[in-house]
Amino acid sequence: MSIIEYFLFIFLFNSFFLFGLFLTRSCFLTTAPYAMRISCGARQNIRTPPTYTRWYKDFAYTGGIPANATAPSHITPPLKTLRYFPLSEGPENCYIINRVPKGHYSVRIFFGLVEHEIDNEPLFEVSVEGTIIHSLKSGWSKNDEQVFAEALGFLLDGSVSICFHSTGRGDPTIISIEILQIDEKAYYFGPEWGRGVILKTTSRLTCGTSKPKFDEDYSGDHWGGDRFWHPIRTFGKNADAPRSTESGIKKASTVPNFYPEALYQSAVVSTDSKPDLAYTMDVDPNKNYSIWLHFAEIDATITGAGKRVFDVLINGGTVFENVDVVGMSGDRYTALVLNTTVALSGRTLTITLHPKKGNHAILTAIEVFQVIVAESKTSPEEVRALQALKKSLGLPNRFGWNGDPCVPKEHPWSGADCHFDKSGGKWFIDGL
């Protein structure tokens, strides 16, 4: 081989190698989860500190009026505008976003207040794909966990409709919408889990700390959906003591839920005066709830398996016996997640950790989801026909013919007579 041929060979080899790296890099980038974030009322795309998250300018709405926003909470994205929907715009208005890849998603909506009207707190309902996921309650604007609604579910027809239903008590007012793809098997809780089920986030707590965090703040994997973790430093005076560590946590950010490692670096531990560790929260009665409990043994006084053992009770009934965090996770400083689904008839949910050995219990975080059966939608052909009719007749906005004509069942289109076809599993219009 001549010297010229040698250098030509080296050049071609390096070129193909670099091209291969480029292709590998390109393929890797395509694995990023789909994310659509809308700044409602905004006229241009913006980025927000500290993470410089990109928000798209307002689009895909069926009506409403843009206005300057007052954010009710410090956890609300730092956006300056919103869109509100006065009753003159109809009892139901929606965002209908197309070209959404089929998949499993976390859908989150932040609510706001129109600037200079901070005492006018609106109350309305929110639906995703025709299923009601949230009803705002009085006082929501003063509670971090209520300034947004979040639901996990499957989007399978290339679009998503997010609708706001007026109750006559103020105008629905929306600051932002997020559609974040998550793992296909995220939050699998058993045979009842599937494409016909929606999980509505009821509460998500990080224990032993006073600082609220999003997954983004924790440098979490984007496949986690950027969850919000509400802080609870203690369950009650002298009821427990906080623990924290800077040590790394094993088995945290794993498929399919991708919990951030830093979530497990704080916890609460019960005390000699109150060995039982208990937390109580309000829930809607006669609903099913999926409960996810997080643990990691970060207490330096626990040196191995068998040193701390406790039972977990839900409303007095034992759901997990002899929980040994070190023994079940395999080591200290290692994440352990336990899940159970329960039917609750009352209005409270109480989670109790009762020590069996070692006298104290430890808890890192809690997630509670309401299990909602997704509504069957109206036949797409009939929806298109009614939308064409709406356009040809020039119906005024006050009719509110937006979203699905038949669902939510509590908010059908005015004048539409809906019936359910059990054999086809869809609603159809029987008359107008």
Side-chain angles (χ1 to χ4, degrees):
M1 179 184 293
S2 69
I3 190 67
I4 294 177
E5 290 174 327
Y6 173 78
F7 280 113
L8 180 60
F9 171 79
I10 295 297
F11 171 77
L12 291 173
F13 174 82
N14 287 335
S15 298
F16 280 117
F17 178 75
L18 291 174
F19 182 66
L21 285 180
F22 171 77
L23 287 179
T24 301
R25 176 71 172 166
S26 299
C27 292
F28 176 77
L29 288 177
T30 61
T31 64
Y34 174 90
M36 171 60 70
R37 293 178 170 90
I38 300 174
S39 175
C40 301
R43 296 186 176 182
Q44 58 185 8
N45 299 340
I46 60 174
R47 293 186 181 272
T48 53
T51 57
Y52 293 95
T53 299
R54 181 179 183 179
W55 299 85
Y56 286 91
K57 64 183 179 181
D58 206 5
F59 75 102
Y61 46 84
T62 61
I65 301 172
N68 292 329
T70 295
S73 167
H74 63 287
I75 73 163
T76 304
L79 303 170
K80 297 180 180 179
T81 61
L82 53 72
R83 179 167 292 274
Y84 72 97
F85 302 96
L87 195 55
S88 60
E89 295 277 325
E92 174 178 286
N93 271 279
C94 308
Y95 277 79
I96 301 175
I97 301 156
N98 297 316
R99 294 187 294 277
V100 177
K102 294 181 181 180
H104 196 197
Y105 286 87
S106 169
V107 178
R108 183 166 60 197
I109 305 102
F110 272 92
F111 315 119
L113 302 171
V114 176
E115 191 176 44
H116 307 309
E117 295 185 19
I118 59 175
D119 294 328
N120 185 19
E121 185 185 65
L123 303 180
F124 54 94
E125 293 189 314
V126 182
S127 68
V128 175
E129 293 291 272
T131 301
I132 290 180
I133 64 160
H134 192 69
S135 297
L136 277 76
K137 300 176 182 178
S138 181
W140 65 263
S141 62
K142 298 178 177 60
N143 187 322
D144 284 350
E145 285 194 289
Q146 295 180 23
V147 297
F148 67 92
E150 179 186 84
L152 313 180
F154 287 89
L155 303 177
L156 302 174
D157 56 7
S159 67
V160 56
S161 62
I162 303 168
C163 298
F164 311 102
H165 311 275
S166 175
T167 62
R169 291 173 290 179
D171 302 326
T173 309
I174 313 302
I175 282 184
S176 66
I177 292 174
E178 296 168 275
I179 304 167
L180 308 175
Q181 189 177 12
I182 57 178
D183 190 90
E184 288 288 309
K185 290 288 186 179
Y187 291 100
Y188 175 86
F189 61 84
E192 296 81 11
W193 179 93
R195 296 185 175 185
V197 169
I198 293 174
L199 291 180
K200 170 198 170 181
T201 304
T202 301
S203 186
R204 187 179 280 123
L205 304 174
T206 174
C207 303
T209 179
S210 301
K211 296 180 179 180
K213 295 279 189 178
F214 287 88
D215 277 9
E216 189 74 36
D217 301 319
Y218 277 136
S219 299
D221 193 297
H222 288 176
W223 282 102
D226 196 27
R227 292 156 289 209
F228 170 70
W229 300 89
H230 183 74
I232 183 163
R233 185 166 178 81
T234 178
F235 292 163
K237 188 176 181 180
N238 299 323
D240 49 62
R243 295 286 188 274
S244 63
T245 183
E246 294 183 0
S247 298
I249 305 295
K250 299 183 286 292
K251 299 182 181 179
S253 188
T254 57
V255 177
N257 291 354
F258 295 97
Y259 294 113
E261 178 185 13
L263 173 70
Y264 296 90
Q265 293 178 324
S266 68
V268 291
V269 176
S270 59
T271 62
D272 289 335
S273 60
K274 291 188 177 180
D276 281 1
L277 195 58
Y279 176 73
T280 298
M281 59 177 287
D282 295 332
V283 294
D284 293 331
N286 304 315
K287 304 290 184 182
N288 291 340
Y289 287 86
S290 183
I291 301 165
W292 299 72
L293 304 175
H294 300 262
F295 309 90
E297 189 51 79
I298 61 173
D299 191 333
T301 64
I302 303 300
T303 57
K307 300 295 184 180
R308 189 200 306 278
V309 180
F310 52 87
D311 290 345
V312 177
L313 296 82
I314 303 294
N315 285 3
T318 302
V319 293
F320 298 107
E321 289 187 288
N322 300 319
V323 176
D324 180 347
V325 176
V326 176
M328 294 170 70
S329 68
D331 201 357
R332 300 167 66 227
Y333 303 101
T334 304
L336 171 68
V337 183
L338 300 179
N339 166 244
T340 186
T341 301
V342 296
L344 299 179
S345 58
R347 294 184 175 275
T348 58
L349 165 64
T350 299
I351 300 169
T352 304
L353 278 58
H354 175 66
K356 301 282 286 295
K357 185 177 180 180
N359 202 38
H360 296 155
I362 189 170
L363 180 60
T364 295
I366 301 171
E367 293 177 286
V368 179
F369 299 95
Q370 184 181 126
V371 181
I372 301 174
V373 177
E375 295 278 7
S376 298
K377 298 168 67 176
T378 305
S379 169
E381 294 78 10
E382 301 221 351
V383 175
R384 286 192 290 268
L386 283 183
Q387 289 172 338
L389 179 63
K390 171 187 174 181
K391 184 177 180 180
S392 65
L393 295 178
L395 294 181
N397 289 337
R398 68 175 183 273
F399 270 66
W401 277 23
N402 300 304
D404 191 294
C406 299
V407 291
K409 288 177 286 187
E410 299 86 345
H411 302 282
W413 284 9
S414 176
D417 185 13
C418 295
H419 288 274
F420 186 66
D421 177 11
K422 292 183 179 180
S423 61
K426 293 184 181 297
W427 289 88
F428 67 95
I429 308 300
D430 194 36
L432 292 174

